[in-house]
Amino acid sequence: FLPHLVASLEQVEQTYIMVKPDGVQRGLVGEIISRFERKGFKLTGLKLFQCHKELAEEHYKDLKTKSFYPTLIDYITSGPVVCMVWEGVGVVASARKLIGSTNPLQAEPGTIRGDLAVQTGRNVVHGSDSPENGKRETGRFLLLKEKKGWDLSVESGTGDLSSLAALWFKEGELCEWTPAQAPWLME
Ligand code: IDP
Ligand code: MG
């Protein structure tokens, strides 16, 4: 462990990246993982998972009133997804750039959606839209809870842990590690 190479904990964000069922069915899992790997972010969680309706509804609860909501829930639960946690300074906004616009026809070439998809309803990948949602969707706090002495009330901001309900990962599923390439990515 090289503390001088590691950004302070408050600066490090987590984002929940998910290869949606169309990405899995189309064999794009490796391609999508590669893009985050090559960029230099750190993978701290990864699994193939069949999402159930309740979780899909909770994940997309902000879109409940949209006309496409029922088909969105059907889409996300239609087959296995690949759930990932990527970690790093600025990872949330950077991952959204790597992913590209929601509508793949408007997404820039070079982005995942710009290169690999044509329709909003089949846009192959999800990425958290804010550091707060990154925490909520990844369940980052579960890992921190395992570390003795971590004050969860600091992590939650309010002391209310219910706001940190983990959506996609369970206790013990995330890994804390230092990649061998760390000193070659961060000065
Ligand atoms: P985002 O995934 O780029 O953050 P959101 O607006 O949060 O986009 O929408 C979540 C997901 O809902 C999209 O990725 C897409 O799969 C689906 N979606 C959004 N808008 C539409 C639409 O107009 N038609 C069909 N599906 C949509
Ligand atoms: Mg969104």
Side-chain angles (χ1 to χ4, degrees), residues 33-52:
I33 292 177
S34 282
R35 292 181 180 223
F36 295 96
E37 225 177 9
R38 290 192 319 224
K39 173 76 175 167
F41 292 125
K42 179 166 78 171
L43 182 66
T44 55
L46 174 68
K47 65 180 177 185
L48 184 74
F49 180 68
Q50 175 60 56
C51 177
H52 48 88

Side-chain angles (χ1 to χ4, degrees), residues 46-85:
L46 174 68
K47 65 180 177 185
L48 184 74
F49 180 68
Q50 175 60 56
C51 177
H52 48 88
K53 195 161 183 273
E54 293 69 31
L55 177 56
E57 286 175 347
E58 180 62 18
H59 178 77
Y60 283 124
K61 67 179 178 192
D62 293 347
L63 300 174
K64 214 168 188 114
T65 58
K66 304 281 185 190
S67 59
F68 59 81
Y69 180 77
T71 54
L72 174 60
I73 300 304
D74 287 347
Y75 163 46
I76 294 302
T77 56
S78 65
V81 295
V82 171
C83 311
M84 289 178 270
V85 181

Side-chain angles (χ1 to χ4, degrees), residues 104-157:
L105 292 184
Q106 275 151 28
E108 294 295 326
T111 65
I112 295 169
R113 287 168 175 167
D115 288 348
L116 304 173
V118 290
Q119 257 203 338
T120 305
R122 294 288 184 271
N123 62 3
V124 303
V125 65
H126 165 85
S128 305
D129 62 7
S130 67
E132 293 67 38
N133 275 336
K135 285 200 180 95
R136 169 178 167 263
E137 292 168 4
T138 59
R140 167 66 182 170
F141 79 99
L142 291 172
L143 184 59
L144 296 173
K145 197 170 71 175
E146 287 167 15
K147 284 194 198 169
K148 230 180 161 182
W150 188 270
D151 183 355
L152 278 170
S153 62
V154 172
E155 181 68 10
S156 72

